[in-house]
Structures are given as C-alpha cells and as structure tokens.
Short mmCIF file of all heavy atoms in Angstrom, two decimals:
data_model
loop_
_atom_site.label_atom_id
_atom_site.label_comp_id
_atom_site.label_asym_id
_atom_site.label_seq_id
_atom_site.Cartn_x
_atom_site.Cartn_y
_atom_site.Cartn_z
N PRO A 1 143.16 100.33 137.17
CA PRO A 1 142.07 100.89 137.95
C PRO A 1 141.54 99.74 138.96
O PRO A 1 141.96 98.53 138.85
CB PRO A 1 140.94 101.11 136.95
CG PRO A 1 141.26 100.12 135.86
CD PRO A 1 142.78 99.98 135.76
N LEU A 2 140.74 100.12 139.86
CA LEU A 2 140.00 99.11 140.68
C LEU A 2 139.20 98.27 139.77
O LEU A 2 138.16 98.81 139.22
CB LEU A 2 139.24 99.75 141.75
CG LEU A 2 140.03 100.39 142.92
CD1 LEU A 2 139.27 101.31 143.76
CD2 LEU A 2 140.53 99.25 143.73
N ASP A 3 139.46 97.04 139.53
CA ASP A 3 138.78 96.31 138.53
C ASP A 3 138.92 94.89 138.84
O ASP A 3 139.76 94.49 139.67
CB ASP A 3 139.51 96.62 137.10
CG ASP A 3 138.74 96.12 135.92
OD1 ASP A 3 137.61 95.62 136.13
OD2 ASP A 3 139.29 96.22 134.95
N GLY A 4 138.33 93.97 138.05
CA GLY A 4 138.46 92.54 138.37
C GLY A 4 138.06 91.66 137.23
O GLY A 4 137.68 92.15 136.16
N GLY A 5 137.93 90.35 137.48
CA GLY A 5 137.34 89.49 136.61
C GLY A 5 135.82 89.57 136.74
O GLY A 5 135.39 90.43 137.53
N LYS A 6 135.05 88.83 136.04
CA LYS A 6 133.63 88.87 136.07
C LYS A 6 133.08 88.60 137.52
O LYS A 6 132.23 89.36 137.95
CB LYS A 6 133.00 87.98 135.13
CG LYS A 6 133.32 88.32 133.62
CD LYS A 6 132.54 87.41 132.68
CE LYS A 6 132.91 87.83 131.21
NZ LYS A 6 132.43 89.16 130.99
N ALA A 7 133.64 87.60 138.21
CA ALA A 7 133.07 87.24 139.49
C ALA A 7 133.35 88.34 140.52
O ALA A 7 132.43 88.81 141.19
CB ALA A 7 133.77 85.96 140.00
N SER A 8 134.54 88.97 140.52
CA SER A 8 134.83 90.00 141.55
C SER A 8 134.05 91.26 141.18
O SER A 8 133.53 91.96 142.06
CB SER A 8 136.42 90.26 141.71
OG SER A 8 136.99 90.26 140.45
N ASN A 9 133.95 91.57 139.85
CA ASN A 9 133.13 92.67 139.49
C ASN A 9 131.60 92.49 139.93
O ASN A 9 131.06 93.46 140.51
CB ASN A 9 133.14 92.90 137.89
CG ASN A 9 134.35 93.67 137.47
OD1 ASN A 9 134.98 94.37 138.21
ND2 ASN A 9 134.52 93.52 136.19
N GLN A 10 131.08 91.39 139.69
CA GLN A 10 129.74 91.12 140.03
C GLN A 10 129.58 91.19 141.62
O GLN A 10 128.59 91.77 142.10
CB GLN A 10 129.30 89.73 139.52
CG GLN A 10 129.10 89.72 137.98
CD GLN A 10 128.99 88.39 137.32
OE1 GLN A 10 128.93 87.41 138.08
NE2 GLN A 10 129.24 88.28 136.08
N ALA A 11 130.50 90.77 142.36
CA ALA A 11 130.42 90.75 143.74
C ALA A 11 130.44 92.16 144.28
O ALA A 11 129.69 92.61 145.21
CB ALA A 11 131.55 89.96 144.39
N VAL A 12 131.33 93.02 143.81
CA VAL A 12 131.42 94.41 144.19
C VAL A 12 130.12 95.16 143.79
O VAL A 12 129.58 95.91 144.53
CB VAL A 12 132.63 95.14 143.61
CG1 VAL A 12 132.59 96.63 143.80
CG2 VAL A 12 133.92 94.48 144.19
N ALA A 13 129.56 94.81 142.64
CA ALA A 13 128.35 95.51 142.19
C ALA A 13 127.25 95.13 143.12
O ALA A 13 126.38 95.97 143.43
CB ALA A 13 128.05 95.05 140.72
N LEU A 14 127.19 93.88 143.55
CA LEU A 14 126.10 93.50 144.44
C LEU A 14 126.27 94.24 145.82
O LEU A 14 125.34 94.75 146.42
CB LEU A 14 126.17 91.97 144.69
CG LEU A 14 125.52 91.14 143.68
CD1 LEU A 14 126.10 89.79 143.53
CD2 LEU A 14 123.99 91.05 143.97
N ALA A 15 127.51 94.37 146.34
CA ALA A 15 127.78 94.98 147.63
C ALA A 15 127.42 96.48 147.48
O ALA A 15 126.81 97.06 148.40
CB ALA A 15 129.25 94.85 148.02
N ARG A 16 127.63 97.18 146.34
CA ARG A 16 127.29 98.50 146.19
C ARG A 16 125.75 98.75 146.17
O ARG A 16 125.27 99.86 146.42
CB ARG A 16 127.96 99.09 144.90
CG ARG A 16 129.46 99.34 145.13
CD ARG A 16 130.06 99.89 143.89
NE ARG A 16 129.50 101.09 143.38
CZ ARG A 16 129.83 102.39 143.93
NH1 ARG A 16 130.72 102.52 144.86
NH2 ARG A 16 129.20 103.45 143.42
N LEU A 17 125.02 97.65 145.83
CA LEU A 17 123.67 97.74 145.96
C LEU A 17 123.06 97.46 147.30
O LEU A 17 121.94 97.28 147.55
CB LEU A 17 122.99 96.75 144.90
CG LEU A 17 123.23 97.19 143.43
CD1 LEU A 17 122.78 95.98 142.52
CD2 LEU A 17 122.43 98.44 143.08
N GLY A 18 123.95 97.15 148.20
CA GLY A 18 123.57 96.90 149.61
C GLY A 18 123.24 95.42 149.81
O GLY A 18 122.60 95.09 150.89
N VAL A 19 123.56 94.55 148.94
CA VAL A 19 123.24 93.18 149.10
C VAL A 19 124.25 92.30 149.83
O VAL A 19 125.47 92.54 149.44
CB VAL A 19 122.97 92.49 147.69
CG1 VAL A 19 122.68 90.99 147.80
CG2 VAL A 19 121.92 93.23 146.98
N PRO A 20 123.97 91.47 150.80
CA PRO A 20 124.98 90.59 151.41
C PRO A 20 125.51 89.70 150.39
O PRO A 20 124.76 88.99 149.76
CB PRO A 20 124.28 89.90 152.52
CG PRO A 20 122.82 90.08 152.19
CD PRO A 20 122.62 91.26 151.45
N VAL A 21 126.87 89.66 150.26
CA VAL A 21 127.48 88.86 149.16
C VAL A 21 128.71 88.22 149.64
O VAL A 21 129.53 88.83 150.30
CB VAL A 21 127.64 89.71 147.81
CG1 VAL A 21 128.48 91.01 148.15
CG2 VAL A 21 128.33 88.90 146.74
N ARG A 22 128.89 86.98 149.31
CA ARG A 22 130.17 86.19 149.51
C ARG A 22 130.90 85.98 148.13
O ARG A 22 130.19 85.65 147.17
CB ARG A 22 129.95 84.92 150.22
CG ARG A 22 129.48 84.97 151.59
CD ARG A 22 129.26 83.64 152.24
NE ARG A 22 128.52 83.68 153.41
CZ ARG A 22 127.56 82.92 153.79
NH1 ARG A 22 127.14 81.91 153.03
NH2 ARG A 22 126.90 83.14 154.90
N LEU A 23 132.21 86.23 148.12
CA LEU A 23 132.93 85.89 146.92
C LEU A 23 133.93 84.72 147.21
O LEU A 23 134.74 84.90 148.13
CB LEU A 23 133.72 87.20 146.50
CG LEU A 23 134.75 87.04 145.37
CD1 LEU A 23 134.00 86.66 144.08
CD2 LEU A 23 135.49 88.37 145.10
N LEU A 24 133.79 83.74 146.35
CA LEU A 24 134.71 82.65 146.45
C LEU A 24 135.62 82.74 145.14
O LEU A 24 135.19 82.38 144.05
CB LEU A 24 134.04 81.35 146.47
CG LEU A 24 133.56 80.77 147.77
CD1 LEU A 24 132.52 81.71 148.35
CD2 LEU A 24 132.95 79.34 147.56
N THR A 25 136.88 83.26 145.39
CA THR A 25 137.78 83.45 144.28
C THR A 25 139.22 83.15 144.65
O THR A 25 139.41 82.67 145.88
CB THR A 25 137.64 84.88 143.73
OG1 THR A 25 138.30 84.93 142.48
CG2 THR A 25 138.19 85.87 144.62
N VAL A 26 140.15 83.39 143.83
CA VAL A 26 141.55 83.11 144.11
C VAL A 26 142.34 84.39 143.72
O VAL A 26 142.12 84.87 142.62
CB VAL A 26 142.10 81.92 143.26
CG1 VAL A 26 143.58 81.76 143.52
CG2 VAL A 26 141.38 80.61 143.64
N VAL A 27 143.30 84.76 144.52
CA VAL A 27 144.18 85.88 144.18
C VAL A 27 145.65 85.37 144.48
O VAL A 27 145.81 84.38 145.28
CB VAL A 27 143.87 87.13 144.94
CG1 VAL A 27 142.50 87.67 144.65
CG2 VAL A 27 144.10 86.92 146.46
N GLY A 28 146.66 86.11 143.97
CA GLY A 28 148.04 85.72 144.23
C GLY A 28 148.48 86.43 145.55
O GLY A 28 147.74 87.21 146.13
N SER A 29 149.62 86.11 145.94
CA SER A 29 150.25 86.56 147.21
C SER A 29 150.99 87.94 147.06
O SER A 29 151.59 88.39 147.97
CB SER A 29 151.24 85.58 147.75
OG SER A 29 152.31 85.33 146.76
N ASP A 30 150.80 88.58 145.88
CA ASP A 30 151.47 89.79 145.58
C ASP A 30 150.59 90.97 146.07
O ASP A 30 149.59 90.89 146.63
CB ASP A 30 151.63 89.91 144.00
CG ASP A 30 150.45 89.89 143.19
OD1 ASP A 30 149.34 89.56 143.78
OD2 ASP A 30 150.59 90.14 142.05
#
C-alpha cells in the first residue's frame, strides 16, 4: 500500500491536515 516509515507517514499526515511540511529523508533509485 501507500505507506512509509514513521517520518514519511508523519509528513503525509501533516500535509493532509493542510500544514506546510518539508520531509528530509532517503529513498532508493528504484
């Protein structure tokens, strides 16, 4: 599913609440 670690989950939850949010994380090239 559309899912993440804690940081990316929290960032998306903030965005869904209409809050301006920056996410500093790492993803792979896949």
Side-chain angles (χ1 to χ4, degrees):
L2 286 166
D3 192 8
K6 292 182 181 299
S8 45
N9 277 344
Q10 291 166 12
V12 169
L14 279 155
R16 285 180 59 81
L17 291 171
V19 177
V21 54
R22 291 182 192 137
L23 174 62
L24 277 62
T25 194
V26 178
V27 299
S29 57
D30 59 349

